[in-house]
Amino acid sequence: MARKRIREEEEAAIDMTPMLDIVFIMLIFFIVTTSFVKEAGIEVNKPTAVNQTKHKNANVFIAVNGNGEVWLDKKKIDIERVTAKLEKLLAEQPTDVIFIQADKEATHSNVVKVMDAIKAAGVDQISIAAAKG
């Protein structure tokens, strides 16, 4: 009689190993396929535009405010260091396009300097963010 109970208990046990394997495989899949957005870190008053194009793969944002400050990855950086910082970010997560969020009051020369730094980092597509108008 004791042997019969032991066999019943063994048959009733559920093996959790296959389910855990599937959960870990799904977790690895989601970690590998996730893309992380590198935000500028500040809010700027963007100029308005009537004709806009939305990009789905918005990964890296650079903000230029009215005081001439440049923000990348939630940190204020010098314009001279934009190229080096971008090269580091692009090594971690490559992207085809960089987005500039320029304030209405930002000077044209500062925005052009940032654009030159982006080109020097090896990115040819640059988009300027604008508010709907």
Side-chain angles (χ1 to χ4, degrees), residues 52-76:
Q52 297 179 4
T53 305
K54 291 190 176 187
H55 292 278
K56 291 181 183 177
N57 56 349
N59 290 338
V60 180
F61 292 89
I62 299 175
V64 181
N65 67 8
N67 300 333
E69 297 174 339
V70 178
W71 289 75
L72 175 63
D73 198 18
K74 298 181 182 178
K75 295 176 186 139
K76 181 181 162 185

Side-chain angles (χ1 to χ4, degrees), residues 35-103:
S35 64
F36 298 98
V37 176
K38 303 292 183 184
E39 295 181 4
I42 61 169
E43 288 291 321
V44 295
N45 295 323
K46 297 176 219 161
T48 58
V50 177
N51 297 321
Q52 297 179 4
T53 305
K54 291 190 176 187
H55 292 278
K56 291 181 183 177
N57 56 349
N59 290 338
V60 180
F61 292 89
I62 299 175
V64 181
N65 67 8
N67 300 333
E69 297 174 339
V70 178
W71 289 75
L72 175 63
D73 198 18
K74 298 181 182 178
K75 295 176 186 139
K76 181 181 162 185
I77 59 172
D78 294 330
I79 291 178
E80 293 81 24
R81 295 183 184 241
V82 171
T83 302
K85 183 72 173 173
L86 269 178
E87 287 174 347
K88 181 181 173 189
L89 288 176
L90 293 173
E92 295 172 5
Q93 183 179 359
T95 185
D96 295 336
V97 63
I98 303 289
F99 294 87
I100 298 177
Q101 297 173 322
D103 194 278

